[in-house]
Amino acid sequence: MTIAQLTKALATFAGERDWGQFHSPKNLAMALSVEVAEIVELFQWTKEEDSCHLTPEKLSELKDEIGDVMIYLTNLASKFNIDPLEAAAQKFEKNKKKYPADLVKGKSAKYTEYGGS
Amino acid sequence: MTIAQLTKALATFAGERDWGQFHSPKNLAMALSVEVAEIVELFQWTKEEDSCHLTPEKLSELKDEIGDVMIYLTNLASKFNIDPLEAAAQKFEKNKKKYPADLVKGKSAKYTEYGGS
Amino acid sequence: MTIAQLTKALATFAGERDWGQFHSPKNLAMALSVEVAEIVELFQWTKEEDSCHLTPEKLSELKDEIGDVMIYLTNLASKFNIDPLEAAAQKFEKNKKKYPADLVKGKSAKYTEYGGS
Amino acid sequence: MTIAQLTKALATFAGERDWGQFHSPKNLAMALSVEVAEIVELFQWTKEEDSCHLTPEKLSELKDEIGDVMIYLTNLASKFNIDPLEAAAQKFEKNKKKYPADLVKGKSAKYTEYGGS
């Protein structure tokens, strides 16, 4: 499935249910944050080094939550004719200029100041 | 750009900067929530009906933030070999079964109880 | 109950359950964000003008969530000997200087730029 | 400063600036989540065991952010005549019944399932 196909499917889904009235950008931004919190919840008490190892149940839950975040992100972005993948590609180019590898490499202690993605 | 291409580019980017050490799923989940909050911030004082109309500056900011969310979501998902678009497609199929159009249509007052996407 | 009493009760509670090991500031910050998302969830599809009117069930849920946020905020703050109420009082003084009433009054359109609390 | 005093001071502050119009519960919930994300940001790349040790600058920033969260939490709670400290005390009593010490003590591996505060 492509972003364009997902966008179209979501619009049809909302239209058939008359749910477009709830999908203001403000509301979609709130819903997006609620879904992301469900991902955070999966990792909140986990030790960092264990956070790669999920039980099959948690992994299945994570996949669902990632799906929900992708759905709301695409829904929100579509209100402004933004393609999330294209936005990521453009932001990625900015990041490459902002954090030159030779300047920041190995300076892990400065990571917070540099930011990074 | 496809999800696969973005995933690969992000891995190279992190590798060149020796930043993989920071990219535990726990940390990526936190970073994802911080980026989403920057989207919420854009809409926090806006009236719902005005939230579709952003100034060019805000729109450009929103595109950057959507890019950041997409980057962290893809980064996190890649740790578990999850494709965000495929996860969205699967979750979307679940949603279609969970909220049959003929059952929930026009029952907007019940939207909160039904959830929805 | 005062902040000091709550802080002491929470420390005893965690100690009796041997849960102190989970209560790093990093984890408490994550838990705090998860609880706040449960408040956001209560209002995500509500119209702004209706958001003051909650059903008795939602109101009871909101009270529980506000309690949870206060618990985690106090728990996190206590790790750094910070009193949330004192921190609020200090921040409030800063806000009064930052946003002089005669400068910002009635300039609602500029509210986003001014920020405010 | 007590919660009652803070509540009154915040109402006066908003009144003098004609900002009450922005302070719907929906908007306050969003603002609360944005402030909490600024706390999460302080800890997102920190190792768990280092998250207790902040530089003086970060500590000062954390105090400000805790103040902001307390301000928005009190503001939101006041719209429903809820006292955050009283809500915390009530929720704390519920938690004591929900997680009996003799049942959950030392069962740290089950912490996620038990929840906890």
Side-chain angles (χ1 to χ4, degrees):
Chain A
M1 187 178 252
T2 64
I3 295 271
Q5 289 168 331
L6 178 60
T7 302
K8 204 176 161 190
L10 291 172
T12 303
F13 179 86
E16 286 172 354
R17 282 152 190 80
D18 201 14
W19 280 359
Q21 58 185 311
F22 302 110
H23 288 185
S24 65
K26 185 180 179 98
N27 287 5
L28 291 170
M30 294 176 86
L32 179 64
S33 76
V34 169
E35 294 302 335
V36 165
E38 294 182 12
I39 292 181
V40 173
E41 196 174 8
L42 287 173
F43 297 108
Q44 66 184 338
W45 306 119
T46 314
K47 289 202 171 305
E48 212 187 314
E49 57 270 29
D50 297 336
S51 67
C52 269
H53 308 291
L54 297 181
T55 61
E57 292 78 29
K58 295 273 177 198
L59 186 61
S60 165
E61 215 181 312
L62 176 64
K63 193 170 184 181
D64 271 4
E65 302 304 348
I66 286 174
D68 275 329
V69 171
M70 190 67 207
I71 284 171
Y72 280 119
L73 186 67
T74 303
N75 233 331
L76 171 63
S78 75
K79 304 297 174 193
F80 300 95
N81 290 315
I82 293 173
D83 177 319
L85 262 172
E86 192 196 299
Q90 282 188 18
K91 191 55 169 46
F92 181 66
E93 289 307 314
K94 284 192 191 181
N95 289 349
K96 281 203 284 191
K97 281 178 197 145
K98 199 172 170 189
Y99 311 111
D102 55 353
L103 181 68
V104 301
K105 190 179 177 179
K107 299 195 180 175
S108 57
K110 298 274 185 181
Y111 188 76
T112 306
E113 281 85 72
Y114 284 117
S117 57
Chain B
M1 186 178 252
T2 64
I3 295 272
Q5 289 168 330
L6 178 61
T7 303
K8 204 177 162 189
L10 291 172
T12 303
F13 179 86
E16 287 172 352
R17 283 152 189 80
D18 201 13
W19 281 358
Q21 58 185 310
F22 302 110
H23 289 183
S24 64
K26 186 180 178 96
N27 287 5
L28 291 170
M30 294 176 86
L32 179 64
S33 77
V34 169
E35 294 302 335
V36 165
E38 293 183 12
I39 292 180
V40 173
E41 196 175 8
L42 287 173
F43 297 108
Q44 66 183 339
W45 306 119
T46 314
K47 289 204 170 304
E48 212 187 314
E49 57 269 29
D50 297 336
S51 67
C52 269
H53 308 292
L54 297 182
T55 62
E57 292 78 29
K58 296 272 176 198
L59 186 60
S60 166
E61 216 181 310
L62 176 65
K63 193 170 185 180
D64 271 4
E65 302 304 349
I66 286 174
D68 276 330
V69 172
M70 190 67 207
I71 283 171
Y72 280 119
L73 186 67
T74 302
N75 233 332
L76 172 64
S78 74
K79 305 296 175 193
F80 301 95
N81 290 316
I82 293 172
D83 177 319
L85 262 172
E86 192 196 301
Q90 282 189 18
K91 191 55 170 46
F92 181 66
E93 290 306 314
K94 285 192 190 180
N95 289 349
K96 281 204 284 191
K97 281 178 196 143
K98 200 172 170 189
Y99 311 111
D102 54 354
L103 183 68
V104 302
K105 190 179 177 180
K107 299 196 181 174
S108 57
K110 297 274 186 180
Y111 188 77
T112 306
E113 280 84 72
Y114 284 117
S117 58
Chain C
M1 187 177 251
T2 63
I3 296 271
Q5 289 168 331
L6 177 61
T7 302
K8 205 177 161 188
L10 291 172
T12 303
F13 179 86
E16 287 172 353
R17 282 153 190 81
D18 200 14
W19 281 359
Q21 58 184 310
F22 302 109
H23 288 183
S24 64
K26 184 179 179 99
N27 288 5
L28 291 170
M30 292 176 87
L32 179 64
S33 77
V34 169
E35 295 302 334
V36 165
E38 294 182 12
I39 293 181
V40 173
E41 196 175 8
L42 287 172
F43 297 108
Q44 66 185 339
W45 306 120
T46 315
K47 289 202 171 304
E48 213 187 313
E49 57 270 29
D50 297 336
S51 67
C52 270
H53 308 291
L54 298 180
T55 61
E57 292 78 29
K58 295 273 175 196
L59 187 60
S60 166
E61 214 181 313
L62 176 65
K63 194 171 184 180
D64 271 4
E65 302 304 349
I66 286 174
D68 275 330
V69 171
M70 190 68 208
I71 283 172
Y72 281 119
L73 185 67
T74 303
N75 233 331
L76 172 63
S78 75
K79 304 296 174 194
F80 301 95
N81 291 315
I82 293 173
D83 176 319
L85 262 172
E86 193 196 300
Q90 283 188 18
K91 191 53 168 47
F92 181 66
E93 289 306 314
K94 284 192 190 182
N95 289 348
K96 281 204 284 191
K97 281 178 197 144
K98 199 172 170 188
Y99 311 111
D102 55 354
L103 183 68
V104 302
K105 190 178 177 178
K107 299 195 181 175
S108 57
K110 297 273 185 181
Y111 188 77
T112 305
E113 281 84 71
Y114 284 118
S117 58
Chain D
M1 187 177 251
T2 64
I3 296 271
Q5 289 167 330
L6 178 61
T7 302
K8 205 176 160 189
L10 291 171
T12 304
F13 179 86
E16 287 172 355
R17 282 151 191 82
D18 201 14
W19 281 358
Q21 58 183 312
F22 303 109
H23 288 184
S24 64
K26 186 180 179 98
N27 288 4
L28 291 169
M30 293 176 87
L32 179 63
S33 76
V34 169
E35 295 302 334
V36 165
E38 293 182 12
I39 293 180
V40 173
E41 196 175 7
L42 288 172
F43 297 109
Q44 66 184 339
W45 307 119
T46 315
K47 289 203 170 304
E48 213 187 314
E49 57 270 30
D50 297 337
S51 67
C52 270
H53 308 292
L54 297 181
T55 61
E57 292 78 28
K58 295 271 176 198
L59 186 60
S60 167
E61 215 181 313
L62 176 64
K63 194 171 184 179
D64 270 5
E65 302 303 349
I66 287 174
D68 275 330
V69 171
M70 189 68 207
I71 283 172
Y72 280 119
L73 185 68
T74 303
N75 233 331
L76 172 63
S78 75
K79 304 296 174 195
F80 301 95
N81 291 314
I82 293 172
D83 177 320
L85 262 172
E86 192 196 300
Q90 282 188 19
K91 191 54 169 47
F92 181 67
E93 289 306 313
K94 285 192 190 181
N95 288 349
K96 281 205 283 191
K97 281 178 196 143
K98 199 172 170 188
Y99 311 111
D102 54 354
L103 183 68
V104 301
K105 190 179 177 178
K107 299 197 179 174
S108 57
K110 298 274 185 180
Y111 188 76
T112 305
E113 281 83 73
Y114 283 118
S117 58

